[in-house]
Amino acid sequence: MSQPRLLGGRYELDGLIGRGGMAEVYHARDLRLDRSVAVKMLRQDLARDHTFQTRFRREAQSAASLNHPSIIAVYDTGEDTLDEVDIPFIVMEHVEGRTLKELLDDDRRLLPERCAEIIDGVLRALEYSHRNGIVHRDIKPANVMLTQQAEAKVMDFGIARATDDNQATMTQTSQVIGTAQYLSPEQARGERVDARSDIYSTGCVLYELLTGHPPFSGDSPVSIAYQHVREDPVPPGEEDPEIPEWLDEVVLRSMTKDRDQRYQSADEMREDIQRGLQGMQTAASTMAVPAAAGETSTLPPADGGDEGPPRRDRGGRRGFHAVLWVILALAVLGALVFAGWMLNQDPPQGTEVPDVVGMAEDRAEDSLRDEGFSDIESQSENHDDVDEGDVIRTDPEGGEEVQESETITLVVSEGPGEAQVPDVQGMSRDEAVRELQEQGFQIGSSSREPSDSVAEGNVVRTDPEGGSSADPGTRVDLWMSDGPEQVSVPDLSEMTREEAESELSDAGLSADFQEEENGDVEPDRVLGQDPEPGSEVDPGSTVTVRVATQPDENTQSPTDQPPESPTDDGGNGDDSGFDPTDPFPDNGNGNGNGEERNRVFP
């Protein structure tokens, strides 16, 4: 049986939960904190693409900055190497429940009021997200989890953007467009998105919860996106008469094409839903929705008289507006066709960075330009083994595939320095700083890392390394020992002795078994342990494990001993200690004077 995959020496993968277009989500166990988590990993086939790497890391940054009960929490991030490819992962809160998409796929129809309560939870998350400057941009049923306590939690900030990000549009070739069924009109037109774009998508989700299907459908994402731009949805109440009129109005206002006519914030939409649930009049019911393009206004003329036939200038304006609408529709359609074409293309393939290590700087630059790279920077660094003017290394490294627009940094040797960096490994920080400064070096940054060989608080390594040469005044970075990396004691409850020993060995711990008689537990089963499960201990520590043994059947307790035989007193009840074998018994008066020694016993 293969061992479970372990990420970062801490997260033990248990099984696949779900798979998306960019990532896979696994159920896992945090061995250090002994808790259940969800681990989201970038798909291996996309891990070499810097576009997806960037998007994945942005999701981690966006979600990690948000701490709210209605948002899936992010605990940790890291990278795992598989087949020499670095694959980033995100460790998240594991929630027992189902997504709204799973609920809809099972054709589970909810009461309208319950739908409104779920959306209220989504809006709470968005209100907090928007307040912190993050627009989600991909609100849809698959990204909303309903917990076992019936609470809504929003997840997947994969294409989220800061509200002040000038690049926050949806038709850039380096971006992945939002899901078509829940796309706001401005997203479909490639305009800059803001918090009101999330409001539109939330309205689409509410529409689907009420009716069982999205507001628009079509044969392709492009056709659906076009409907978001040009067509009005059928009011939910026309499909289900049981939907309250106020909820109809809330949906339609949240999905208004003109974002200035929508709810202007998640908080505003929440307040309107709360008013409707309490039987009060909603703000949506009082809003005058502008007539759609091409419709004739039913408002009376300003003078209150009969409208009469349209005048020539009004007819001319209507014709002019109609031409504008046609031009706009064609422009939007062209943009959508282009966006759809981009969606169907394979991810852009990068160009392999040539290996220029050891080349002279000018030759290295020529080699990079020959491969299409134009943004090249140089940095200098002392090196004992690489000749002055030759390349020590590049960033990204040679062999990596990156986009040709990416900056390539050349680290060029300045030759050996004039001074030798002292070896301060094992010293305290104060001692190391004093030694380095006495040799003319400056102190750079200080970081901490686990170390089994260096005492906590002392220097593990430096950059530049001790013994290498560098110019006086060079900044030397220090890495201080954090002590041995702690391991979490596993839970050995109800395991056999063999299973417990194997579990501890896998965790880098040793076992000290102590046997304890117990007739209620199967022999060789664990009764208890010290330290307790989940405790953090040093690698190699010993865990005392108490195991059951079968009680010895031949061992008798004092209560099991047979009672002493009563003294034979001839049946007269006298327990004075009379001994029939004594030829001269005491007469019982305790005088012991032998007065009855002449008696003859039969």
Side-chain angles (χ1 to χ4, degrees):
M1 181 177 178
S2 61
Q3 291 290 328
R5 186 174 175 186
L6 194 65
L7 298 182
R10 176 174 177 178
Y11 304 105
E12 186 178 80
L13 300 189
D14 188 24
L16 186 66
I17 297 175
R19 180 180 286 110
M22 188 178 75
E24 296 171 333
V25 181
Y26 294 85
H27 178 258
R29 193 81 189 166
D30 182 347
L31 300 181
R32 183 174 299 174
L33 299 179
D34 191 28
R35 65 180 174 186
S36 179
V37 296
V39 176
K40 184 172 185 178
M41 299 180 64
L42 182 63
R43 278 173 33 195
Q44 187 179 359
D45 58 320
L46 303 178
R48 292 185 182 275
D49 192 309
H50 283 253
T51 299
F52 288 96
Q53 290 262 7
T54 301
R55 174 181 167 186
F56 195 85
R57 291 191 177 96
R58 185 169 64 241
E59 173 178 358
Q61 293 169 356
S62 298
S65 67
L66 302 174
N67 182 17
H68 190 271
S70 296
I71 297 176
I72 298 289
V74 169
Y75 297 142
D76 192 10
T77 62
E79 288 188 351
D80 185 54
T81 302
L82 184 63
D83 296 335
E84 300 183 352
V85 177
D86 291 334
I87 301 177
F89 63 84
I90 304 171
V91 182
M92 305 178 295
E93 169 189 13
H94 180 254
V95 177
E96 294 289 347
R98 309 178 69 194
T99 64
L100 294 186
K101 183 179 186 304
E102 292 171 329
L103 200 72
L104 290 163
D105 288 344
D106 288 347
D107 200 22
R108 296 285 300 277
R109 297 292 295 277
L110 303 174
L111 293 173
E113 291 76 11
R114 180 70 188 112
C115 298
E117 291 171 354
I118 292 173
I119 294 301
D120 182 84
V122 175
L123 292 168
R124 278 200 302 270
L126 291 178
E127 176 188 347
Y128 178 82
S129 167
H130 296 162
R131 193 164 63 243
N132 284 272
I134 302 294
V135 182
H136 190 286
R137 305 204 309 168
D138 197 19
I139 293 295
K140 59 185 178 182
N143 285 341
V144 179
M145 178 74 77
L146 202 60
T147 70
Q148 292 182 338
Q149 291 74 37
E151 298 174 346
K153 281 183 174 279
V154 175
M155 55 186 175
D156 195 353
F157 282 75
I159 59 174
R161 286 277 190 170
T163 52
D164 59 355
D165 188 346
N166 292 327
Q167 301 300 317
T169 66
M170 295 300 292
T171 58
Q172 300 170 68
T173 58
S174 62
Q175 297 295 336
V176 178
I177 200 165
T179 308
Q181 284 87 348
Y182 315 97
L183 204 64
S184 69
E186 56 270 19
Q187 285 174 286
R189 289 193 294 260
E191 299 173 355
R192 188 172 182 275
V193 301
D194 59 23
R196 294 169 295 181
S197 304
D198 282 347
I199 299 298
Y200 184 95
S201 300
T202 304
C204 293
V205 174
L206 177 55
Y207 188 105
E208 187 168 0
L209 285 175
L210 293 169
T211 65
H213 61 80
F216 301 112
S217 59
D219 297 332
S220 68
V222 172
S223 65
I224 297 172
Y226 180 78
Q227 294 175 70
H228 280 292
V229 174
R230 292 289 294 124
E231 298 183 11
D232 292 322
V234 175
E238 292 187 12
E239 299 195 21
D240 185 355
E242 294 185 4
I243 297 174
E245 184 178 353
W246 69 266
L247 200 48
D248 239 17
E249 294 161 348
V250 167
V251 172
L252 295 178
R253 178 170 182 182
S254 65
M255 292 181 63
T256 304
K257 308 299 181 190
D258 183 354
R259 62 176 117 183
D260 290 333
Q261 297 295 327
R262 278 179 224 152
Y263 294 107
Q264 297 299 291
S265 68
D267 192 38
E268 184 182 349
M269 185 173 176
R270 272 196 68 218
E271 290 176 355
D272 223 14
I273 287 177
Q274 290 299 326
R275 280 192 287 266
L277 289 172
Q278 295 169 16
M280 301 167 60
Q281 186 179 28
T282 63
S285 64
T286 62
M287 186 191 76
V289 180
E295 293 181 359
T296 304
S297 173
T298 57
L299 296 176
D303 58 5
D306 294 336
E307 184 179 12
R311 291 177 296 199
R312 290 174 61 93
D313 58 341
R314 180 181 299 176
R317 283 198 301 270
R318 279 204 298 266
F320 176 70
H321 289 160
V323 172
L324 285 180
W325 276 112
V326 170
I327 294 173
L328 176 62
L330 291 173
V332 170
L333 182 59
L336 292 174
V337 169
F338 176 75
W341 176 79
M342 289 302 302
L343 280 176
N344 292 322
Q345 303 306 302
D346 292 331
Q349 298 298 315
T351 301
E352 185 174 304
V353 177
D355 185 0
V356 296
V357 172
M359 291 185 184
E361 182 179 359
D362 54 353
R363 283 188 56 209
E365 289 184 0
D366 291 342
S367 180
L368 289 168
R369 289 195 176 93
D370 290 344
E371 295 297 326
F373 298 103
S374 57
D375 190 356
I376 303 170
E377 295 181 352
S378 294
Q379 294 179 358
S380 297
E381 187 177 294
N382 292 117
H383 202 283
D384 294 338
D385 301 323
V386 178
D387 293 338
E388 184 177 356
D390 290 350
V391 176
I392 303 171
R393 63 182 180 276
T394 63
D395 183 21
E397 294 180 357
E400 287 191 32
E401 289 188 358
V402 299
Q403 300 302 309
E404 293 178 358
S405 58
E406 185 158 339
T407 300
I408 308 297
T409 301
L410 297 175
V411 181
V412 181
S413 173
E414 288 186 332
E418 297 180 2
Q420 187 179 59
V421 179
D423 186 357
V424 296
Q425 182 180 10
M427 294 183 182
S428 69
R429 188 180 190 282
D430 290 343
E431 292 172 336
V433 168
R434 185 164 53 250
E435 180 72 18
L436 289 165
Q437 289 178 340
E438 286 177 355
Q439 299 298 324
F441 295 99
Q442 295 187 29
I443 306 304
S445 62
S446 291
S447 306
R448 300 185 71 87
E449 66 180 28
S451 174
D452 296 332
S453 58
V454 178
E456 184 175 358
N458 290 353
V459 178
V460 178
R461 58 188 174 92
T462 62
D463 184 21
E465 295 181 356
S468 64
S469 59
D471 289 333
T474 299
R475 297 173 65 89
V476 179
D477 297 330
L478 303 175
W479 275 263
M480 315 303 297
S481 172
D482 223 358
E485 186 172 3
Q486 298 281 288
V487 296
S488 179
V489 178
D491 187 355
L492 309 176
S493 301
E494 300 182 359
M495 289 185 181
T496 64
R497 180 197 294 255
E498 184 180 16
E499 291 170 341
E501 187 169 22
S502 175
E503 187 76 13
L504 290 172
S505 177
D506 290 343
L509 304 172
S510 58
D512 176 23
F513 291 101
Q514 296 183 358
E515 296 181 344
E516 184 177 303
E517 292 185 357
N518 192 309
D520 299 327
V521 178
E522 179 186 348
D524 261 358
R525 289 282 177 185
V526 173
L527 295 172
Q529 66 184 84
D530 182 32
E532 294 294 323
S535 302
E536 297 290 324
V537 298
D538 292 337
S541 298
T542 299
V543 177
T544 301
V545 185
R546 295 183 292 111
V547 295
T549 60
Q550 184 69 33
D552 188 353
E553 297 179 356
N554 296 323
T555 303
Q556 293 181 326
S557 65
T559 58
D560 295 332
Q561 300 295 329
E564 294 182 2
S565 302
T567 303
D568 187 359
D569 59 0
N572 59 8
D574 184 2
D575 59 354
S576 61
F578 170 73
D579 184 356
T581 63
D582 186 358
F584 304 103
D586 196 321
N587 63 3
N589 59 13
N591 56 24
N593 57 11
E595 291 178 359
E596 298 189 14
R597 290 182 182 273
N598 295 326
R599 288 184 59 188
V600 178
F601 291 88

